Amino acid sequence: MLIPRQFSILMLAAALCGCASNATTAQEPNTDANSALTISSKTVSKQDPTKEATPLPSARELADFKSWRSDFRARALAKGIKPSIFDRAFAGVSVNQQVVKLDGSQAEFTRQIWDYLDTATSASRVSTGKQQWQRHADTLAKIEQRYKVDAKVVMSIWGMETNYGSYRGNTNTIEGLATLAFEGRRRTFAEAELIAALQILQAGDVKPEKMRGSWAGAMGHTQFMPTSYLEYAQDFTGDGKRDIWSDDPTDALASTAYYLARFGWQKGAPWGVEIKLPKHFDYSQADQSHRKPVAYWKQRGVTTVDGQPLPDHGDAAILVPAGAHGPAFAVFENFRVIRRYNNATSYAMAVGHLGDKLAGGGDFVAPWPRNEAALSRSEKKQLQQKLTALGFDTQGADGVIGPNTTKAIRAYQQSKQQVADGYANATLLKQLN
Ligand SMILES: [Ca+2]
């Protein structure tokens, strides 16, 4: 899901797909090193939750919705949407209670990154991907040639977002976004997306009944939000329509390649490589914001996991998704480009890793600490409260491990002469208790 970065609704849409950024996948606002690392369980579900039985809205809600719709209609018309387009798009559209429920829910249980990666890059995901790649080989080669974006990453995003088109979502996009706008928590964002969706209908790229996708507004094979669609969608088939919704994935795959190209994809360069860190490595440097030339890391004894010199693809950051006791990676510019699609670190790793596997690569070498249970949201809150009480301020206790919490953990670890990997786990929580 492509979502404009500032909204970073990752969690939102994520529900539907593996989703990306474009927005959609909603992980919490960005960025944190760790938050991205644990994925909410809803991120993983590929089912369209709006297919469940939906309770009816109350009379009061319906009246309020009508009143919002009437105000919004005026705003949409002022932006150039024709009355007939608006009225046809909103015919039969009401408050979608499942969307309300999903938007308000916070996952209590999260998965460890290795569990997430296992699912995201499973043997069946890889074998289906290889078959689909073969099936669309000519198209993918042409797309790669035109946009200078490796076919493997386009394939991988397609696999992550909708399992190669098999879970594109069945929520009426206008209804999903109208519900989010009406509900109000994200009104500005949802109304902007809704206007974009109406502009798409007005341009005639798709009929209202075909404009369907995730409950949070992401559409088509690679889950574009409407604003991303307007800016990046491509008509690669040459029929005059940018059709990301049909069974033929051509336009959607080209759109994805164009999106990555626009954000600076470097063809032929890796997203990252697994590395070996020297003994006594200063783990406080393992932070995505700490990007340094490859020469800098070489001087500090960093090599590839099999002891070879680190390849040079520009500045790199060191990533230790499971702390000092799991695999380590050097990540390059393309990793950041993938994060423009979905800002979660775990998502970017999954896209990179799946793409490598589709191209014949294998598993990571170093083992994950698989015996570690994931912290629940309330345990994370507890951890934040304890740290703050001890003078290591996490700037709030929301149960999401973000940059502030990571920083507080590092400071705590340093004060105890421990390895400062900033990693939140059960051992740390036990220590604090
Ligand atoms: Ca087309």
Side-chain angles (χ1 to χ4, degrees), residues 241-252:
K241 290 185 196 306
R242 302 186 286 169
D243 188 358
I244 61 171
W245 300 271
S246 77
D247 289 339
D248 177 0
T250 305
D251 284 358

Side-chain angles (χ1 to χ4, degrees), residues 234-243 251:
Q234 302 286 295
D235 169 24
F236 200 76
T237 63
D239 67 348
K241 290 185 196 306
R242 302 186 286 169
D243 188 358
D251 284 358

Side-chain angles (χ1 to χ4, degrees), residues 264-400:
W265 185 265
Q266 298 175 356
K267 185 163 177 288
W271 61 276
V273 292
E274 190 176 352
I275 56 172
K276 198 160 63 184
L277 294 172
K279 249 186 199 171
H280 312 302
F281 178 74
D282 173 10
Y283 278 86
S284 67
Q285 299 210 29
D287 192 291
Q288 283 190 68
S289 61
H290 188 64
R291 303 176 73 241
K292 293 285 172 191
V294 162
Y296 174 94
W297 297 117
K298 282 184 173 171
Q299 276 164 19
R300 278 153 188 80
V302 178
T303 65
T304 67
V305 72
D306 44 11
Q308 299 301 307
L310 211 52
D312 194 348
H313 299 284
D315 286 357
I318 305 294
L319 189 62
V320 286
H325 301 292
F329 304 90
V331 295
F332 301 102
E333 182 61 23
N334 280 348
F335 190 75
R336 300 196 331 147
V337 176
I338 299 170
R339 289 186 56 185
R340 297 309 297 260
Y341 212 88
N342 175 330
N343 200 27
T345 301
S346 48
Y347 176 88
M349 281 200 68
V351 166
H353 194 35
L354 176 59
D356 288 346
K357 284 186 172 186
L358 290 173
D363 286 317
F364 298 133
V365 175
W368 295 103
R370 288 181 180 269
N371 53 342
E372 271 185 17
L375 293 177
S376 67
R377 196 174 180 105
S378 22
E379 285 170 329
K380 287 178 190 164
K381 277 185 194 169
Q382 227 184 81
L383 188 132
Q384 289 169 323
Q385 285 157 354
K386 296 272 175 193
L387 283 167
T388 303
L390 288 170
F392 304 97
D393 194 355
T394 59
Q395 317 279 322
D398 58 359
V400 177

